[in-house]
Amino acid sequence: MAAKFRTYEGTVITVSIGARMALFWYFRYHNVIDSLHFGGPILDTPITDAVNLAECTGLVEQGVSPYSGSVCRTPPILLSLHHFLGSLCGGRDLIIPGFAYVLFDVATATFLGLAAVVITRRYAQDYTQRLLGDAPGDTHKDQAHHNSGGLSRAERKATAAALQIAGCDKPDEGTFEQYGMRVAAAWLANPVTIAQCYMQSGNVIHSCVVALAFWLMSRRQITASAIAVATAAHLALYPACLLLPLCSCALSTPHTRGPMVSVLQVLGTFALWFALLAGISYLFEHSWDWAHSVYGVQVFVSDLTPNVGLCWYLLTEMFAHFRFFFILLLHFNLLIVLLPLTLRFGSDPDFLAVILMGVVGLFKTYPSVGDTTLTVALISTQLFFLHKWMRQQFIVVCAFLATAVLFPLFWRTWAFDTGGLFVVISRATAACRVCVHEVLLILFQARDVHHVVPCGVLYYCALHTTKKHSTNACTCHVNVR
């Protein structure tokens, strides 16, 4: 059965990559610029717009700085990479070659799949140690009580019997790898990621760097992950929020030099690498105009191009003397959300990273549907032990599908036919994302292995024992906060 699933997932991955290559082959015989416009503000933003990137490359070819008029939103390093790869295509410098974008997408799927394997393996080891009493020092009552997450010896024996009946006591390594392939296949087969790759959106590169940082964080390679986070923050400021789970990793990982020294090492690595990338960008442009053009537009929201975010329509309709106050509240609202989430979920840095990326994708100034896709992909790395006990998933999935279908229709009606309710459908998508985060927070409360028994596992065991055996294996008392 496992081999059958691997063959199925491998087929999905191969077909998805082939679809991308076929679309780029289609590019050779049709107008590239017209093809890049079909997604509108749904799949692209002023920060990741492929048309803007092509125009900036044309200005570089003519010897004009694209940052002098605050037109270019792409960092100089990425712009230089775009120009170099475009020159390899025989003068077709309007776009990065499609093969490079396919490689970025495949790399993103690989990092997400590897992260899913690492995280599920760690959760399985946690379950085994805390529920089956595999940790050393089990002979002492206090130590056994701590290691089992608050269960007595009799309760642990009952839970162990239930886990053995349910087949959860010895997770198969092949199951983890199969789940990682499913996560990778889901990313590559997603129509949104295929459309972004076809449009050559900057979200493809941004998602790849964020997925790399997330995978390194899951492996607890803190220094390398800090470098990846600094690279992602150089491309777009908001992935800098991943510093919070990185600091949580540094605090929870034992070090001889102390936890605070490890936190300072993470912050220092991030600052040095970010400064290095900024210095290289300055060498490319011999000016700091690029910083205002790239980062200033994200902070001060100077470009009012329509997007799927929460703030652009209000800023368009707002009086000028209220503008700065509202922008200040927008950023402050995001900051006051990040700190409580870090304090509550800092015990699980991987889960914290998923929640923070979802919140940032909801409140950032220039979001797109690609941010929602990345958030869902990160959430999928956490669902190996949680998907069986999720509630309202049918309603949430149907709501997402409905908004995905209505988005382009409402955008077309609003932009070209002077009608429609594009703002309403963008708010509906935001409401769906809030529901997803609420479900995740409830599941984390049930899966908090540091203080309570994973209720989902016991519920799963109870279902199997009531169906197959008339034992009292899963009748142990569980205290949930």
mmCIF file of all heavy atoms in Angstrom, residues 109-133:
data_model
loop_
_atom_site.group_PDB
_atom_site.id
_atom_site.type_symbol
_atom_site.label_atom_id
_atom_site.label_comp_id
_atom_site.label_asym_id
_atom_site.label_seq_id
_atom_site.Cartn_x
_atom_site.Cartn_y
_atom_site.Cartn_z
ATOM 1 N N ALA A 109 8.625 22.898 -2.596
ATOM 2 C CA ALA A 109 7.934 21.654 -2.263
ATOM 3 C C ALA A 109 8.857 20.704 -1.499
ATOM 4 O O ALA A 109 8.431 20.029 -0.546
ATOM 5 C CB ALA A 109 7.420 20.987 -3.540
ATOM 6 N N THR A 110 10.128 20.658 -1.892
ATOM 7 C CA THR A 110 11.081 19.781 -1.208
ATOM 8 C C THR A 110 11.295 20.212 0.235
ATOM 9 O O THR A 110 11.281 19.384 1.158
ATOM 10 C CB THR A 110 12.422 19.782 -1.962
ATOM 11 O OG1 THR A 110 12.211 19.385 -3.320
ATOM 12 C CG2 THR A 110 13.408 18.842 -1.301
ATOM 13 N N PHE A 111 11.473 21.506 0.461
ATOM 14 C CA PHE A 111 11.678 21.996 1.825
ATOM 15 C C PHE A 111 10.454 21.748 2.695
ATOM 16 O O PHE A 111 10.581 21.351 3.858
ATOM 17 C CB PHE A 111 12.010 23.490 1.793
ATOM 18 C CG PHE A 111 13.309 23.817 1.104
ATOM 19 C CD1 PHE A 111 13.443 24.968 0.349
ATOM 20 C CD2 PHE A 111 14.391 22.964 1.202
ATOM 21 C CE1 PHE A 111 14.632 25.272 -0.298
ATOM 22 C CE2 PHE A 111 15.595 23.250 0.565
ATOM 23 C CZ PHE A 111 15.706 24.405 -0.190
ATOM 24 N N LEU A 112 9.265 21.956 2.142
ATOM 25 C CA LEU A 112 8.048 21.708 2.915
ATOM 26 C C LEU A 112 7.891 20.228 3.249
ATOM 27 O O LEU A 112 7.510 19.867 4.375
ATOM 28 C CB LEU A 112 6.825 22.199 2.134
ATOM 29 C CG LEU A 112 6.680 23.715 1.973
ATOM 30 C CD1 LEU A 112 5.525 24.035 1.039
ATOM 31 C CD2 LEU A 112 6.476 24.390 3.315
ATOM 32 N N GLY A 113 8.175 19.356 2.286
ATOM 33 C CA GLY A 113 8.086 17.926 2.548
ATOM 34 C C GLY A 113 9.077 17.460 3.595
ATOM 35 O O GLY A 113 8.737 16.679 4.492
ATOM 36 N N LEU A 114 10.320 17.940 3.510
ATOM 37 C CA LEU A 114 11.325 17.570 4.508
ATOM 38 C C LEU A 114 10.960 18.095 5.887
ATOM 39 O O LEU A 114 11.162 17.410 6.901
ATOM 40 C CB LEU A 114 12.691 18.106 4.077
ATOM 41 C CG LEU A 114 13.305 17.473 2.822
ATOM 42 C CD1 LEU A 114 14.597 18.179 2.448
ATOM 43 C CD2 LEU A 114 13.554 15.985 3.024
ATOM 44 N N ALA A 115 10.420 19.318 5.932
ATOM 45 C CA ALA A 115 9.991 19.862 7.226
ATOM 46 C C ALA A 115 8.861 19.039 7.820
ATOM 47 O O ALA A 115 8.822 18.804 9.039
ATOM 48 C CB ALA A 115 9.560 21.321 7.053
ATOM 49 N N ALA A 116 7.928 18.579 6.984
ATOM 50 C CA ALA A 116 6.834 17.744 7.482
ATOM 51 C C ALA A 116 7.364 16.435 8.070
ATOM 52 O O ALA A 116 6.882 15.974 9.114
ATOM 53 C CB ALA A 116 5.845 17.461 6.356
ATOM 54 N N VAL A 117 8.349 15.842 7.431
ATOM 55 C CA VAL A 117 8.929 14.596 7.946
ATOM 56 C C VAL A 117 9.586 14.831 9.303
ATOM 57 O O VAL A 117 9.392 14.063 10.257
ATOM 58 C CB VAL A 117 9.937 14.032 6.928
ATOM 59 C CG1 VAL A 117 10.688 12.851 7.526
ATOM 60 C CG2 VAL A 117 9.233 13.613 5.650
ATOM 61 N N VAL A 118 10.366 15.904 9.413
ATOM 62 C CA VAL A 118 11.070 16.190 10.668
ATOM 63 C C VAL A 118 10.074 16.462 11.796
ATOM 64 O O VAL A 118 10.223 15.965 12.921
ATOM 65 C CB VAL A 118 12.027 17.385 10.473
ATOM 66 C CG1 VAL A 118 12.645 17.803 11.802
ATOM 67 C CG2 VAL A 118 13.118 17.028 9.486
ATOM 68 N N ILE A 119 9.052 17.257 11.507
ATOM 69 C CA ILE A 119 8.103 17.634 12.556
ATOM 70 C C ILE A 119 7.276 16.437 13.015
ATOM 71 O O ILE A 119 7.081 16.227 14.223
ATOM 72 C CB ILE A 119 7.193 18.767 12.041
ATOM 73 C CG1 ILE A 119 8.010 20.048 11.870
ATOM 74 C CG2 ILE A 119 6.033 19.020 12.996
ATOM 75 C CD1 ILE A 119 7.256 21.155 11.175
ATOM 76 N N THR A 120 6.780 15.629 12.089
ATOM 77 C CA THR A 120 5.989 14.465 12.483
ATOM 78 C C THR A 120 6.834 13.452 13.248
ATOM 79 O O THR A 120 6.348 12.827 14.198
ATOM 80 C CB THR A 120 5.378 13.789 11.242
ATOM 81 O OG1 THR A 120 6.405 13.562 10.262
ATOM 82 C CG2 THR A 120 4.311 14.668 10.629
ATOM 83 N N ARG A 121 8.085 13.293 12.869
ATOM 84 C CA ARG A 121 8.966 12.388 13.613
ATOM 85 C C ARG A 121 9.180 12.894 15.038
ATOM 86 O O ARG A 121 9.184 12.103 15.995
ATOM 87 C CB ARG A 121 10.304 12.245 12.894
ATOM 88 C CG ARG A 121 11.236 11.235 13.561
ATOM 89 C CD ARG A 121 12.609 11.220 12.932
ATOM 90 N NE ARG A 121 12.556 10.779 11.547
ATOM 91 C CZ ARG A 121 12.924 11.530 10.523
ATOM 92 N NH1 ARG A 121 13.340 12.772 10.728
ATOM 93 N NH2 ARG A 121 12.879 11.061 9.300
ATOM 94 N N ARG A 122 9.348 14.198 15.186
ATOM 95 C CA ARG A 122 9.541 14.748 16.528
ATOM 96 C C ARG A 122 8.282 14.577 17.371
ATOM 97 O O ARG A 122 8.367 14.250 18.560
ATOM 98 C CB ARG A 122 9.912 16.218 16.441
ATOM 99 C CG ARG A 122 10.178 16.862 17.816
ATOM 100 C CD ARG A 122 10.520 18.330 17.713
ATOM 101 N NE ARG A 122 11.776 18.507 16.992
ATOM 102 C CZ ARG A 122 11.884 19.142 15.836
ATOM 103 N NH1 ARG A 122 10.813 19.666 15.264
ATOM 104 N NH2 ARG A 122 13.034 19.262 15.230
ATOM 105 N N TYR A 123 7.117 14.804 16.790
ATOM 106 C CA TYR A 123 5.871 14.609 17.533
ATOM 107 C C TYR A 123 5.717 13.147 17.952
ATOM 108 O O TYR A 123 5.264 12.858 19.069
ATOM 109 C CB TYR A 123 4.684 15.030 16.679
ATOM 110 C CG TYR A 123 4.520 16.523 16.535
ATOM 111 C CD1 TYR A 123 3.659 17.060 15.585
ATOM 112 C CD2 TYR A 123 5.236 17.401 17.344
ATOM 113 C CE1 TYR A 123 3.510 18.426 15.451
ATOM 114 C CE2 TYR A 123 5.097 18.764 17.210
ATOM 115 C CZ TYR A 123 4.232 19.275 16.263
ATOM 116 O OH TYR A 123 4.083 20.625 16.126
ATOM 117 N N ALA A 124 6.055 12.224 17.074
ATOM 118 C CA ALA A 124 5.941 10.805 17.417
ATOM 119 C C ALA A 124 6.861 10.443 18.578
ATOM 120 O O ALA A 124 6.470 9.694 19.488
ATOM 121 C CB ALA A 124 6.273 9.951 16.193
ATOM 122 N N GLN A 125 8.078 10.970 18.571
ATOM 123 C CA GLN A 125 8.983 10.719 19.687
ATOM 124 C C GLN A 125 8.454 11.325 20.975
ATOM 125 O O GLN A 125 8.587 10.739 22.058
ATOM 126 C CB GLN A 125 10.363 11.290 19.348
ATOM 127 C CG GLN A 125 11.066 10.572 18.213
ATOM 128 C CD GLN A 125 12.357 11.259 17.802
ATOM 129 O OE1 GLN A 125 12.691 12.339 18.298
ATOM 130 N NE2 GLN A 125 13.085 10.644 16.878
ATOM 131 N N ASP A 126 7.827 12.499 20.880
ATOM 132 C CA ASP A 126 7.230 13.119 22.061
ATOM 133 C C ASP A 126 6.123 12.253 22.635
ATOM 134 O O ASP A 126 6.037 12.043 23.853
ATOM 135 C CB ASP A 126 6.678 14.496 21.693
ATOM 136 C CG ASP A 126 7.326 15.593 22.515
ATOM 137 O OD1 ASP A 126 7.988 15.257 23.508
ATOM 138 O OD2 ASP A 126 7.187 16.769 22.147
ATOM 139 N N TYR A 127 5.259 11.741 21.753
ATOM 140 C CA TYR A 127 4.171 10.885 22.212
ATOM 141 C C TYR A 127 4.726 9.630 22.891
ATOM 142 O O TYR A 127 4.249 9.206 23.935
ATOM 143 C CB TYR A 127 3.286 10.472 21.034
ATOM 144 C CG TYR A 127 2.431 11.584 20.484
ATOM 145 C CD1 TYR A 127 2.065 11.594 19.145
ATOM 146 C CD2 TYR A 127 1.978 12.615 21.292
ATOM 147 C CE1 TYR A 127 1.278 12.613 18.629
ATOM 148 C CE2 TYR A 127 1.203 13.625 20.796
ATOM 149 C CZ TYR A 127 0.846 13.630 19.462
ATOM 150 O OH TYR A 127 0.064 14.621 18.947
ATOM 151 N N THR A 128 5.725 9.030 22.284
ATOM 152 C CA THR A 128 6.281 7.795 22.837
ATOM 153 C C THR A 128 6.898 8.025 24.206
ATOM 154 O O THR A 128 6.691 7.260 25.145
ATOM 155 C CB THR A 128 7.332 7.217 21.877
ATOM 156 O OG1 THR A 128 6.741 7.012 20.598
ATOM 157 C CG2 THR A 128 7.882 5.911 22.398
ATOM 158 N N GLN A 129 7.663 9.097 24.352
ATOM 159 C CA GLN A 129 8.350 9.356 25.613
ATOM 160 C C GLN A 129 7.384 9.749 26.722
ATOM 161 O O GLN A 129 7.524 9.312 27.861
ATOM 162 C CB GLN A 129 9.392 10.459 25.422
ATOM 163 C CG GLN A 129 10.562 10.043 24.554
ATOM 164 C CD GLN A 129 11.543 11.177 24.344
ATOM 165 O OE1 GLN A 129 11.344 12.281 24.826
ATOM 166 N NE2 GLN A 129 12.611 10.892 23.614
ATOM 167 N N ARG A 130 6.381 10.557 26.391
ATOM 168 C CA ARG A 130 5.524 11.085 27.434
ATOM 169 C C ARG A 130 4.352 10.165 27.777
ATOM 170 O O ARG A 130 3.863 10.182 28.898
ATOM 171 C CB ARG A 130 5.002 12.468 27.034
ATOM 172 C CG ARG A 130 6.115 13.489 26.947
ATOM 173 C CD ARG A 130 5.594 14.877 26.631
ATOM 174 N NE ARG A 130 6.679 15.819 26.579
ATOM 175 C CZ ARG A 130 7.195 16.440 27.629
ATOM 176 N NH1 ARG A 130 6.704 16.192 28.816
ATOM 177 N NH2 ARG A 130 8.199 17.281 27.504
ATOM 178 N N LEU A 131 3.897 9.385 26.815
ATOM 179 C CA LEU A 131 2.756 8.505 27.077
ATOM 180 C C LEU A 131 3.174 7.096 27.459
ATOM 181 O O LEU A 131 2.501 6.441 28.243
ATOM 182 C CB LEU A 131 1.847 8.457 25.851
ATOM 183 C CG LEU A 131 1.096 9.754 25.527
ATOM 184 C CD1 LEU A 131 0.231 9.558 24.304
ATOM 185 C CD2 LEU A 131 0.249 10.190 26.698
ATOM 186 N N LEU A 132 4.277 6.628 26.904
ATOM 187 C CA LEU A 132 4.700 5.258 27.188
ATOM 188 C C LEU A 132 5.782 5.193 28.247
ATOM 189 O O LEU A 132 6.235 4.111 28.598
ATOM 190 C CB LEU A 132 5.205 4.591 25.905
ATOM 191 C CG LEU A 132 4.182 4.556 24.764
ATOM 192 C CD1 LEU A 132 4.757 3.812 23.572
ATOM 193 C CD2 LEU A 132 2.885 3.928 25.202
ATOM 194 N N GLY A 133 6.247 6.361 28.742
ATOM 195 C CA GLY A 133 7.208 6.355 29.838
ATOM 196 C C GLY A 133 8.559 5.874 29.440
ATOM 197 O O GLY A 133 9.207 5.143 30.188
#
